[in-house]
Amino acid sequence: MRTIRVESSAATILLTEAPEPKVRDRQTGEIAKDAVTGEALMTIGVVYIEDGESSLIKVTVPEGGVTEGLILGSPVSLPGLIARPWESVFNGQQRHGIAYRAAAVTPAAFPAAMGATA
């Protein structure tokens, strides 16, 4: 399926879940790997805030792209963020959604307007 680049420069993205290994097979505990590089994949939870609306999303990041110094509740940057629509049939039920992936997750700063006090 097609991937869609997500322009996030106007968004505030806050870390809500610390990086964890992405599990490929829950029965065996096998960790998901990047199909091209073979690098282990991690998932993080973020709240994506833009134009007064927010969404909780999970983002997949290569293990090497997880930067030190990430703090829950703090703003982060997700360079190379893409969205990929998906659909599958499991146990006779059709499921669909959007998978998010970024090249890295790095600490960022709050926008000046958010941090300002009156």
Side-chain angles (χ1 to χ4, degrees):
M1 291 210 134
R2 177 170 170 73
T3 60
I4 303 161
R5 280 187 223 114
V6 178
E7 171 52 53
S8 60
S9 62
T12 299
I13 305 169
L14 305 175
L15 186 66
T16 59
E17 294 178 31
E20 295 181 353
K22 182 173 182 169
V23 178
R24 177 187 160 126
D25 185 330
R26 291 184 184 152
Q27 291 181 341
T28 66
E30 178 185 1
I31 303 300
K33 307 267 185 196
D34 183 276
V36 175
T37 66
E39 184 174 10
L41 297 174
M42 307 290 283
T43 60
I44 59 166
V46 299
V47 63
Y48 186 98
I49 306 166
E50 187 174 25
D51 295 332
E53 295 185 19
S54 63
S55 298
L56 290 169
I57 61 174
K58 295 271 191 176
V59 181
T60 300
V61 180
E63 187 173 35
V66 176
T67 306
E68 294 289 325
L70 298 173
I71 300 169
L72 289 179
S74 293
V76 293
S77 176
L78 297 170
L81 182 62
I82 60 167
R84 177 178 289 131
W86 62 268
E87 61 181 52
S88 67
V89 177
F90 184 73
N91 287 338
Q93 293 186 356
Q94 186 166 3
R95 301 177 69 200
H96 57 87
I98 300 173
Y100 294 93
R101 180 146 179 187
V105 55
T106 61
F110 279 109
M114 282 188 75
T117 57

